[in-house]
Amino acid sequence: MTGTGHGALITAFSEAYGRAPDGVWHAPGRVNLIGEHTDYNDGLVLPFALPQGVTVAAARRGDGVIEVRSAQAGGAPVTAPVAGGPVVSEGWPPDLAWAAYPVGVARVLNAHATGGPAAGGASLMIDSDLPQGAGLASSAALECATALALRDLHGAGIERADLARLAQRAENEQVGVPCGPMDQSASLLCTPGHALMLDCRSGLSSQVPLALADAGLALLVADTRADHALADGEYARRRAECEEAAARLGVAALRDVKDLAGALGTLRDPVLRRRVQHVVTENHRVEAVAGLLRAGAVAELGSLLNASHLSLRDQFQVSWPEADAAVDAAVRAGARGGRMVGGGFGGSVIVLTGADRAGRVRDAITAVYEGRDWAEPRFLDATPSAGARRIH
């Protein structure tokens, strides 16, 4: 998906609505360096923001209606009242699925307002340069750009961490995807040159330096072009399996499992055993990576990325053939490590490589895809960037 630039977005807004927008807001997508499927288990994650994301031009309106248009989707605008129940229960057609996210955010913010300024009506024009279906949190970027715009337009005094939770709630309740808080927190809280160490239980976070260039390294994102859809049931099934395992082990969440060997000995179900093993070891990997980054040992991350991928493939069973082939090809071409990112079943992989080998790694992945008649992968340079902000 190619964005138009915010100047062109302002022009498109003005042509569509017959007035200039009150402002323009941008929210980035994210790459999760490590910590996959730990967020809804009250665990630890370590994402960073991408330069690419979703941009929203918006203007306040006083009729309690949100009207949204997309530079990518085209077609007629989508209008809906900001007061209403879950969008998922209203049976929107598939071609309007994208609009459920901004409408859902508006409804959650409106319901959240108690006595103060409500996040009421608005006219929105949406643009994006972030690939959809690539596991880079395009839906969270759309939610967060909308949430920040509505907050500012209506003077709602909501702190960023709370705004992230409300955006997550919109995806859970309004759209029907049982995601954790990582994507929205990353989009709103990340800072340039850092990863965000986030405790998904307490909501506490800290910025961890991610100085890649100083170490002669680069992170590449390879969009495998295998689209994923987290609302199709597999993501929800993994979450339900984790909740069942926690209940059988007598803990509030799998984050609370301290004795992994004892837990695995208690569980008889081989599927639940695999899920527990991934979540517990992945939390340990997050802590290890954060420690290496704080020590300036960026070059040592590769083996932990590889271990995460193998665990997601074999224990959590959410990888897919294009991801496995990309990671294998990258490592064979001299990359230090790599892993799938996002919820799984399609999307992207992240690869840590020496900056001088980046071209060779791209070529190796592309060659493998050509040999298997897969769609050509798309590459993004994963530069740790700023979180959501008003840009005009």
Side-chain angles (χ1 to χ4, degrees), residues 200-213:
C200 294
R201 169 171 286 168
S202 68
L204 296 176
S205 64
S206 60
Q207 304 293 335
V208 181
L210 186 52
L212 300 167

Side-chain angles (χ1 to χ4, degrees), residues 31-207:
V31 169
N32 188 22
L33 184 59
I34 200 160
E36 219 66 78
H37 289 276
T38 52
D39 57 346
Y40 57 78
N41 287 292
D42 284 357
L44 306 172
V45 293
L46 195 63
F48 61 90
L50 288 168
Q52 298 83 6
V54 173
T55 306
V56 172
R60 180 174 176 166
R61 53 194 291 169
D63 58 0
V65 168
I66 181 167
E67 180 174 347
V68 293
R69 301 170 188 251
S70 167
Q72 277 71 43
V78 177
T79 60
V82 296
V87 175
V88 71
S89 67
E90 296 179 2
W92 288 27
D95 62 328
L96 298 182
W98 65 272
Y101 293 91
V103 171
V105 167
R107 289 183 174 179
V108 166
L109 292 187
N110 187 66
H112 175 75
T114 53
S123 299
L124 275 62
M125 178 67 77
I126 296 162
D127 190 22
S128 175
D129 61 356
L130 190 68
Q132 291 183 338
L136 303 176
S138 59
S139 60
L142 175 54
E143 293 157 6
C144 293
T146 301
L148 199 62
L150 293 177
R151 184 198 72 169
D152 292 352
L153 288 174
H154 293 278
I158 305 173
E159 297 295 329
R160 282 178 174 254
D162 295 328
L163 199 63
R165 292 283 183 174
L166 291 170
Q168 177 206 357
R169 181 179 157 193
E171 187 156 349
N172 294 166
E173 299 176 2
Q174 292 285 329
V175 185
V177 178
C179 65
M182 175 182 65
D183 292 352
Q184 295 82 4
S185 297
S187 190
L188 281 161
L189 301 178
C190 280
T191 61
H194 292 79
L196 182 77
M197 178 67 163
L198 175 67
D199 184 324
C200 294
R201 169 171 286 168
S202 68
L204 296 176
S205 64
S206 60
Q207 304 293 335

Side-chain angles (χ1 to χ4, degrees), residues 216-242:
L217 297 171
L219 281 168
L220 303 178
V221 172
D223 175 6
T224 69
R225 307 287 294 280
D227 288 343
H228 70 164
L230 296 185
D232 66 359
E234 287 295 334
Y235 185 94
R237 185 175 296 114
R238 293 302 186 280
R239 181 164 185 164
E241 289 165 349
C242 290

Side-chain angles (χ1 to χ4, degrees), residues 358-368 379:
R360 186 187 310 174
V361 169
R362 288 190 184 95
D363 291 344
I365 296 173
T366 301
V368 167
F379 295 95

Side-chain angles (χ1 to χ4, degrees), residues 97 161 252 269 293 314:
D269 187 322
L293 290 179
D314 300 335

